[in-house]
Amino acid sequence: MYRYAEDSGWVRRADNPARQVPKPARQPSHRYAIPPHRLAEICTAAATSGDDPELDSLVLRLHIETACRRGGALALRPHDLDEDQCLVLLREKGQTERWQPVSPTLMRHLLAHARERGAPRSGQLLRYRNSKPISSRRYDYIWTRVGEILPWVAVQGISMHWLRHTTLTWVERTFGFAVARAYAGHDGKTGGTTATYVKSDVLEVAAALSILTAEPHPLVSNVNKHIRAVDSM
């Protein structure tokens, strides 16, 4: 609040009392990459319970494949789907936008979902059967329900952000930091000075996704040419 007042010119920097208050130490995150067998349990629980398991399974797969944030999924529109290249446009925090690869299977389900549930091309894609757009409350419902079926989910406070952590950890371990940073949609400021020189792009993200999902991706056929061009430099 005081920062906003200062930025708006209502309070002078020297008169901002909040600048004299030390910030509390940020606690380290207790999240970790969910093991594959546990992740399978979560997906099974979501797909075999609740009032709309088809919707919940689609939401989970979207987050697992893209490692998107909740806001990115809720902002997704049918207009943001590039069917030919299997890309979705994610609009997330900080008004950032990026094209993120998805598997052909997920793309088919996203298109079918939008068509069957009457999502306007410029409207929210994820919807209930009555065509009403979902909200963040659906996420709470998913994890509360899954936590009732799998007690360890409730005990550890597993949330959709754990799926982002899980996917990005796998990408980093398998393909390195640069690809993981691009997969996450982080800017070049993340990772220090080295990040200025070590960059990845959508082709390498698509290659990582192809291995993750065990599905060919339309952009992957171009990856080898891209890598050879870089190696020849």
Side-chain angles (χ1 to χ4, degrees):
M1 181 180 67
Y2 280 104
R3 182 184 301 167
Y4 180 81
E6 181 182 317
D7 292 342
S8 300
W10 302 337
V11 175
R12 294 186 305 171
R13 180 183 178 90
D15 296 334
N16 184 351
R19 290 191 172 275
Q20 307 303 318
V21 180
K23 293 183 179 180
R26 179 174 295 183
Q27 297 297 319
S29 173
H30 67 283
R31 299 188 188 98
Y32 59 85
I34 302 171
H37 71 284
R38 291 296 195 187
L39 186 59
E41 290 178 6
I42 291 173
C43 294
T44 299
T48 56
S49 64
D51 57 10
D52 197 344
E54 180 181 335
L55 168 64
D56 297 340
S57 294
L58 181 64
V59 171
L60 286 176
R61 177 147 187 169
L62 175 62
H63 280 272
I64 292 171
E65 284 200 17
T66 66
C68 68
R69 300 176 178 88
R70 180 186 301 197
L74 292 176
L76 194 62
R77 308 164 299 182
H79 184 68
D80 298 327
L81 306 182
D82 182 339
E83 182 179 3
D84 292 337
Q85 298 189 93
C86 283
L87 297 171
V88 299
L89 180 62
L90 295 177
R91 303 187 303 283
E92 297 187 318
K93 69 177 185 179
Q95 299 181 332
T96 61
E97 294 186 359
R98 74 179 187 279
W99 285 102
Q100 187 79 6
V102 297
S103 68
T105 295
L106 178 56
M107 178 58 72
R108 286 195 301 270
H109 283 288
L110 289 171
L111 290 168
H113 179 89
R115 181 176 62 253
E116 294 167 3
R117 304 203 174 191
R121 280 187 57 78
S122 58
Q124 184 176 326
L125 189 150
L126 296 172
R127 294 174 179 262
Y128 295 105
R129 291 193 181 96
N130 62 4
S131 295
K132 181 180 178 180
I134 72 168
S135 68
S136 59
R137 296 182 65 180
R138 187 67 190 185
Y139 285 74
D140 299 333
Y141 169 74
I142 291 174
W143 291 107
T144 298
R145 188 178 85 247
V146 172
E148 292 172 351
I149 299 171
L150 303 171
W152 62 270
V153 168
V155 170
Q156 297 192 35
I158 305 294
S159 66
M160 209 64 79
H161 204 73
W162 285 62
L163 303 186
R164 175 176 168 84
H165 191 100
T166 299
T167 298
L168 294 179
T169 297
W170 179 87
V171 173
E172 191 276 331
R173 299 293 191 271
T174 310
F175 292 91
F177 176 78
V179 178
R181 188 183 69 233
Y183 208 113
H186 290 154
D187 57 32
K189 298 177 182 178
T190 306
T193 305
T194 305
T196 304
Y197 305 98
V198 182
K199 297 181 180 179
S200 185
D201 58 27
V202 68
L203 299 182
E204 291 169 295
V205 172
L209 173 72
S210 184
I211 300 299
L212 175 67
T213 60
E215 283 192 56
H217 191 278
L219 298 180
V220 172
S221 61
N222 297 322
V223 170
N224 290 335
K225 295 179 182 178
H226 175 74
I227 293 175
R228 284 197 296 270
V230 172
D231 289 342
S232 64
M233 295 180 61

